Amino acid sequence: MTAENPKNAPKKLGSFPRNQSGDFIHSLLNMGQAKGTMTVERPVYTQIKFDEGCPQTETVPKTLRRRISVATSSCTCSRECVKDFLLNLFPFIRIMKNYKMPSWLVRDMLSGLTVGITRVSMGMASALLASLPPVTGLYVSFFPVIIYFFFGTSRHISIGTFAVTCLMVGVAVDRETADWTPSVSNVTANGTYDSLDASNSEFIQAKLEVAAAVTLLTGIWQLCMGMFRLGFLTIYLSDPLISGFTTGAACHVFTAQVKYVFGIKMKRFSEPFQIIKTFVQLFKTITETNVATLITSAMCIVTLVFIKECIDPRVRKKIKVPLPGELLVVVVSTLISYLANLSTEFGVATVGEIPTGIPAPVLPPSRYFGAVIMDSFTIAIVAFTVSVSLAKLQAANNNYEVDPNQELIAYGMCNTFSSFFNTFVASASLSRSLIQERAGGKTQLAGVFSCVIILVILLALGPLLQTLPTSILACIIIVALKGMFLQFKELKKLWFISKYDFFIWLVTWLAVFLLGVDLGLLIGVAFSLLTVVFRTQRPYACLYGRVPHTDIYRDQNKYRVVREIPGIKIFHFEAALYYANAEHFRNRIYSLTDANPQALKAERAKIEEKKEREEKLKEKLKKRIKKQNTDASLNGHVPSRRHTSEPVALEMETIDTSPEHSELMAGNRDEVPSFDIHHIVIDCSSVSYIDSVGVKILSQVIGAYRHVGVTLFLSHVKTPMQNMLRRTNFYEKNDQEMLYLTTHDAIVAALQSQQDLLKELKKDATTRANAPSPSPLPVRDNNNTCTSDTPNSLSGRGDPIPVEV
C-alpha cells in the first residue's frame, strides 16, 4: 500500500532482461514457428457480448416430473428391449457367442484346472479365518463360481475365498457365538472352546448359521445396490485407502493364524486392540506350545517360501503354469500325519471329518439378521470394491470393459444363492486371478473347469484330507500374505507423490490395526473425505503475469519469464469457491495483491480524523486570539506581541508534531492514500462451482475495492458459475460487463484508459525477433518496486509473434 497516485505509476510493460530470458523467448518463438504461427484479430469480448453473438443451447430444466416421464417412456416391452435386458442380465451369452473354438477351450481348461488345484488348499485355509470348518471353504470355491459364470462381466477374475472378507465374517461369527454354551461340555483346561472340534456339532452349526445369515444379507445389499445403479460408490474408496485397509486387515489375518502355528488354543478377542490382546495372551500361554505343531509349521513355511521364491520363478520362464506348492504341501503333510499318527501321538490338531457330497439347501435363520446387518453392509462394500477394482484392472489389460452395476448384481446373486449351502461371503482374489490370466484363461469358463477339481474333492477325495494338520492351512495363509505386507513399500512412494495420500494410507492402516476392520474402514473413509475438504478449504492461489509477446498468462511463482502489467493484478484461485474457503479467498486476494481495501479505508479514516482535529484546533486558536484582542481593546490598550503569543504557544503543545505525523500530513495535503493498481482481474478458469456464500463474499470483495477506486473484472467464468451469479441476483449490485471471455480481453479492457500502455501492449504482441534488441523495460521486483536500466524500451528476439491484439 502506498500514497502514490496510480496516475503517476510507470507506464511501461514489464519485459525480459536480455541476460535472463532472451534465450527462452528465442526458443519459444522458434518452437512456435516449427508448429506454425497464428495471427488473430478480433474485438474485445465481454461474456454478455460473446453470448449475444454466440447464443447458448437452451437446456430444459430436469424436474422430478420430467425425470419420471423420461424413465417411464423408456420402459417398453418391445422385443429389442427384452433382448437387451436379457443380454445385459446374462453377459455370458455374448461371451459364448464370440467364443473361439477350440483354441480358447484348451486355454480355459488348462487355466481352470490350475486354479482349481489352488482353490483346494486356499479354500480350506480361508475357512479358518471365518472360524468355520475347512469344508465350507470348498463350498465357497464351488457354488459362487458357477453363479458368477452366468451373471459376471469379467472374464478373468477368480471368485471364491478372500482373506479380508473371511476375516470380517469370522469377527461377526465369533461375536455372535461368544456367549453360546454347548449342550455337551467341550471345555479345555484353560476354559476355552475348541471351535473346530467335530464332535461339537451344535457349536459348529451355530457358527454356520451366523455365517449364512451374514452371507445372505451381504448378497441382498449387493443386489439392491446393483438394481439402484450404485456402482459409483466405489469412487469414494481410493487406492491408498484400499491398500492401507487391506494391509491392516492382513495384520489381523496373520494374528488369527499364529495360534494354529504354535498349537495353542485361544479364543478370538473382541475389538478394539484385538491384535495387542491376542499377542499378550499368546506370550502368557507360550509354555503350552505344541512342539510337534511348531516344527511342522516351520517346515511348511520354509518349504513354501523356497518353492515360491526359488523354484517357481525359474519354472515360469519355461511354462506359464505356476507350481502348485500349496497342494504339494497339503498332500505330503496329510500323508505324513496319517503315517505318523500325529493327532494321537503328538496332539497335533487336524482338519477332522470332511463330509462328502453336496449339502442340502437350508434357509439361513432370521434371528441373526438384526445383529449382523451392519456387518453385512460393510462386507458388501469391501467385497465389491476389491472385486470390481480387480475386474477393471484385468479388463484394461485384456482390452474389454466391465459393468460395475452388473458386477454388483453378479456378486449379490453369488452370495445370495450360496448362503443356502452353509457358505460364507465370496469375493475375487488377486493371486488366483493372476494365476488364471497367466495360465492362458480367456473367459469365465475357466472357473467352471476349476469347479471340476472341487467337485471331485467334495464327492470322493474329501475323506482323504481328514488327517491334514490345521497348522498347515494356517501356514499357507501366512505365506500368501506376503503380497499384502509388501504394500508397506508404497508409503515411501506416496510420501513423494502426495502427502495427503500418504496420510490416508497411514491413518487407515493404523485405524484397522488398532480398532478393527469395520471401525477402521469407517475412519479411513471419513479421513479420506476430510482430506478433500482440506484441499479445497485452503487451495492454492497466486498472481498471474503475462508472457511477453503473447496473450498467455501464467503463474508468477512458477514461470520466471512472466511479467506484471503495471497497475493491474491478475488473481488466480485454483478451487471451487464455496462456504468452506470463501474467507480464504478474500484473505488471499488481499494479501497477494498487497491491496487491502479495509486497511486503506481505515488509514484514510485516520487521516481524515486527524485533519478534522487539526481544523478544530486552528478554529479554537483563532477564536481565542480574537477574544484576547477584543478584551484588550475594551481595556484601552493594544496587547504586545509577547502577550498574544503565549496562549497560542500553549495550545500548540496539544498538536501532534511528531516526524511521522508531519510527514503523513505533508504527504496528504494534495491527495489521499491509494493503491498503485487500478484494476484486478480474477481468473476463474479453475472455479468449477460457486455457492451462495461464495457469491456473497465475491460481491463484498468487489464492493470493497470499488469504494477505494479499484475495479474488478472476472475472466473465464464457467457456465455453472454464471448461472449461480444470475440466480443469486449478483447483477443487481454489479455490472454484467465486468465478466470477460478471456483474461487477455479483460486486460485490454482495463487498459482503455491507459492508452500509452495499450499501444505498447499491441506493439509488444506484434514485435519481431530479428528486430534490434532494445534495453529491458521497468519490471516489478519482489518488493513491488519498479526497477529499470533505461526508461523506455521493449525487449524481444525471434520471428513474428503469432498473436495480435
Side-chain angles (χ1 to χ4, degrees):
M1 184 182 301
T2 177
E4 191 176 0
N5 193 326
K7 295 182 179 179
N8 299 327
K11 301 296 184 180
K12 297 296 179 183
L13 289 175
S15 63
F16 298 104
R18 192 185 316 170
N19 59 346
Q20 293 182 4
S21 304
D23 294 338
F24 172 81
I25 291 296
H26 187 67
S27 62
L28 181 64
L29 297 175
N30 288 338
M31 180 180 67
Q33 287 293 314
K35 297 294 184 181
T37 61
M38 178 179 62
T39 302
V40 179
E41 185 173 357
R42 63 171 178 82
V44 174
Y45 283 119
T46 63
Q47 187 66 52
I48 188 172
K49 292 295 183 183
F50 181 81
D51 291 341
E52 290 176 357
C54 303
Q56 298 182 6
T57 303
E58 295 184 4
T59 56
V60 179
K62 293 183 178 180
T63 61
L64 178 60
R65 182 176 181 180
R66 180 174 177 80
R67 292 176 185 272
I68 296 175
S69 176
V70 172
T72 54
S73 62
S74 62
C75 296
T76 59
C77 295
S78 63
R79 181 177 179 181
E80 291 297 327
C81 181
V82 174
K83 179 181 177 181
D84 291 339
F85 173 77
L86 292 177
L87 290 177
N88 292 329
L89 184 61
F90 300 101
F92 83 99
I93 298 176
R94 285 195 178 100
I95 296 175
M96 300 308 298
K97 183 178 179 180
N98 300 321
Y99 200 81
K100 296 180 181 180
M101 295 284 290
S103 60
W104 283 16
L105 182 63
V106 175
R107 295 184 179 184
D108 283 340
M109 184 181 298
L110 178 62
S111 174
L113 295 177
T114 304
V115 174
I117 294 173
T118 307
R119 286 182 185 275
V120 175
S121 55
M122 291 303 299
M124 297 176 67
S126 298
L128 297 181
L129 292 173
S131 297
L132 298 173
V135 69
T136 57
L138 298 178
Y139 298 154
V140 178
S141 301
F142 179 76
F143 293 106
V145 180
I146 299 296
I147 301 301
Y148 186 81
F149 169 77
F150 296 101
F151 294 95
T153 59
S154 176
R155 305 177 186 178
H156 293 88
I157 64 171
S158 178
I159 294 294
T161 58
F162 179 56
V164 176
T165 54
C166 294
L167 176 67
M168 298 175 74
V169 172
V171 170
V173 168
D174 287 340
R175 185 188 67 240
E176 296 304 318
T177 58
D179 299 330
W180 184 87
T181 303
S183 57
V184 179
S185 179
N186 190 33
V187 182
T188 60
N190 58 0
T192 61
Y193 297 114
D194 184 3
S195 61
L196 294 177
D197 189 352
S199 62
N200 195 353
S201 59
E202 293 182 7
F203 187 45
I204 294 176
Q205 185 60 34
K207 289 194 169 189
L208 289 174
E209 290 177 352
V210 176
V214 172
T215 306
L216 177 60
L217 291 179
T218 300
I220 293 175
W221 279 116
Q222 292 174 334
L223 281 174
C224 292
M225 289 190 293
M227 289 186 292
F228 287 101
R229 320 295 288 178
L230 299 180
F232 67 90
L233 290 177
T234 56
I235 63 178
Y236 296 104
L237 301 180
S238 62
D239 290 343
L241 186 146
I242 294 175
S243 178
F245 170 75
T246 53
T247 307
C251 296
H252 284 272
V253 172
F254 175 83
T255 304
Q257 303 308 305
V258 170
K259 62 181 181 180
Y260 298 111
V261 173
F262 285 87
I264 300 175
K265 294 181 180 180
M266 296 190 308
K267 67 177 182 180
R268 178 177 289 182
F269 292 94
S270 60
E271 301 166 346
F273 308 111
Q274 182 186 35
I275 294 179
I276 298 175
K277 295 176 183 177
T278 300
F279 278 101
V280 169
Q281 182 65 23
L282 176 67
F283 288 118
K284 289 182 178 179
T285 59
I286 196 70
T287 56
E288 301 177 9
T289 301
N290 188 303
V291 179
T293 302
L294 183 61
I295 295 175
T296 303
S297 302
M299 294 177 63
C300 176
I301 293 175
V302 171
T303 303
L304 287 173
V305 172
F306 179 75
I307 292 175
K308 289 182 175 294
E309 301 297 328
C310 300
I311 300 178
D312 193 53
R314 298 182 180 181
V315 172
R316 284 191 180 181
K317 295 179 180 179
K318 299 181 180 180
I319 58 175
K320 294 183 179 181
V321 180
L323 286 179
E326 293 85 357
L327 182 62
L328 178 64
V329 170
V330 167
V331 172
V332 173
S333 59
T334 302
L335 184 61
I336 294 176
S337 176
Y338 174 75
L339 296 176
N341 199 10
L342 295 180
S343 176
T344 304
E345 298 294 334
F346 300 96
V348 175
T350 58
V351 170
E353 181 183 359
I354 297 180
T356 58
I358 304 297
V362 178
L363 182 67
S366 59
R367 62 178 178 275
Y368 295 111
F369 287 174
V372 300
I373 187 169
M374 292 310 301
D375 297 88
S376 61
F377 177 75
T378 306
I379 296 172
I381 296 294
V382 172
F384 168 64
T385 303
V386 173
S387 300
V388 80
S389 300
L390 184 56
K392 288 182 177 179
L393 177 63
Q394 297 283 24
N397 293 337
N398 293 276
N399 302 319
Y400 66 92
E401 295 182 356
V402 295
D403 183 1
N405 294 308
Q406 179 60 30
E407 286 293 295
L408 269 172
I409 294 176
Y411 304 146
M413 292 297 296
C414 290
N415 289 316
T416 302
F417 179 82
S418 60
S419 65
F420 296 99
F421 296 93
N422 293 330
T423 65
F424 49 88
V425 177
S427 178
S429 168
L430 175 61
S431 59
R432 291 196 310 271
S433 299
L434 292 177
I435 292 174
Q436 181 170 320
E437 182 187 21
R438 291 171 181 174
K442 292 296 182 180
T443 67
Q444 277 300 327
L445 196 60
V448 177
F449 285 117
S450 69
C451 291
V452 175
I453 302 294
I454 305 298
L455 188 61
V456 172
I457 298 295
L458 291 175
L459 296 180
L461 302 182
L464 299 179
L465 300 175
Q466 292 181 4
T467 58
L468 173 65
T470 55
S471 60
I472 301 300
L473 299 177
C475 293
I476 291 175
I477 292 178
I478 290 175
V479 175
L481 293 176
K482 174 193 171 184
M484 290 188 179
F485 286 128
L486 288 178
Q487 293 180 135
F488 278 108
K489 293 183 178 180
E490 294 182 9
L491 283 175
K492 182 178 179 181
K493 180 175 65 175
L494 290 175
W495 176 260
F496 292 102
I497 295 176
S498 172
K499 301 298 188 298
Y500 285 106
D501 290 342
F502 173 86
F503 283 108
I504 288 174
W505 196 105
L506 189 61
V507 169
T508 304
W509 176 80
L510 282 174
V512 174
F513 182 87
L514 295 175
L515 304 179
V517 178
D518 298 343
L519 185 58
L521 177 62
L522 180 62
I523 293 176
V525 173
F527 182 79
S528 179
L529 295 177
L530 195 61
T531 59
V532 178
V533 178
F534 289 157
R535 300 183 201 198
T536 58
Q537 187 175 5
R538 299 185 63 84
Y540 179 73
C542 63
L543 291 181
Y544 269 18
R546 175 176 171 269
V547 178
H549 317 316
T550 70
D551 62 345
I552 301 173
Y553 298 85
R554 289 295 181 267
D555 187 357
Q556 295 182 17
N557 298 327
K558 297 181 180 179
Y559 296 92
R560 294 180 299 173
V561 298
V562 302
R563 291 294 181 267
E564 282 188 2
I565 297 176
I568 301 176
K569 298 285 188 180
I570 306 172
F571 178 74
H572 179 76
F573 192 72
E574 292 191 354
L577 182 56
Y578 69 113
Y579 67 93
N581 60 19
E583 282 298 330
H584 177 71
F585 169 82
R586 174 158 48 191
N587 296 334
R588 292 302 290 164
I589 194 172
Y590 286 172
S591 61
L592 288 177
T593 59
D594 195 22
N596 189 334
Q598 303 298 335
L600 181 62
K601 290 170 64 176
E603 184 176 348
R604 287 180 177 180
K606 183 178 180 181
I607 293 175
E608 292 295 330
E609 182 182 353
K610 289 185 177 181
K611 282 184 178 181
E612 292 178 0
R613 188 167 62 248
E614 293 290 345
E615 293 294 334
K616 290 181 179 179
L617 287 174
K618 289 179 182 180
E619 292 294 331
K620 185 177 181 181
L621 289 175
K622 289 180 181 179
K623 291 180 179 179
R624 179 165 298 184
I625 293 173
K626 184 177 180 180
K627 181 179 180 182
Q628 290 178 352
N629 292 335
T630 303
D631 293 342
S633 299
L634 293 175
N635 292 332
H637 69 276
V638 178
S640 65
R641 183 178 184 88
R642 181 177 61 85
H643 292 109
T644 58
S645 61
E646 288 179 359
V648 175
L650 291 175
E651 294 294 337
M652 290 298 294
E653 291 178 0
T654 63
I655 301 177
D656 188 359
T657 59
S658 64
E660 295 80 1
H661 176 73
S662 300
E663 181 180 355
L664 182 64
M665 294 302 299
N668 286 276
R669 287 171 182 171
D670 298 327
E671 61 183 30
V672 295
S674 62
F675 298 124
D676 59 352
I677 60 174
H678 49 82
H679 279 83
I680 295 178
V681 178
I682 301 179
D683 177 27
C684 303
S685 58
S686 297
V687 182
S688 59
Y689 167 76
I690 185 171
D691 67 353
S692 59
V693 178
V695 174
K696 179 180 178 181
I697 294 296
L698 179 62
S699 183
Q700 291 176 356
V701 170
I702 294 173
Y705 275 115
R706 185 188 299 122
H707 290 156
V708 296
V710 178
T711 303
L712 259 71
F713 289 158
L714 306 180
S715 66
H716 296 287
V717 181
K718 299 183 182 299
T719 301
M721 184 175 176
Q722 295 180 40
N723 296 335
M724 180 59 72
L725 294 178
R726 192 176 300 109
R727 288 195 296 266
T728 54
N729 299 324
F730 174 81
Y731 299 117
E732 290 183 356
K733 297 181 179 179
N734 303 282
D735 188 3
Q736 292 188 13
E737 298 290 335
M738 68 183 300
L739 272 66
Y740 285 86
L741 189 63
T742 68
T743 301
H744 196 62
D745 288 315
I747 295 298
V748 174
L751 293 177
Q752 291 299 317
S753 60
Q754 309 283 326
Q755 289 298 320
D756 294 339
L757 282 177
L758 185 58
K759 291 179 181 178
E760 191 172 354
L761 179 65
K762 294 181 179 180
K763 180 181 177 182
D764 180 66
T766 56
T767 188
R768 291 180 176 273
N770 55 7
S773 179
S775 303
L777 277 173
V779 297
R780 297 285 176 182
D781 60 16
N782 293 332
N783 296 323
N784 202 28
T785 59
C786 197
T787 60
S788 175
D789 294 333
T790 56
N792 52 15
S793 57
L794 262 178
S795 67
R797 305 178 188 172
D799 299 324
I801 302 300
V803 176
E804 285 187 3
V805 179

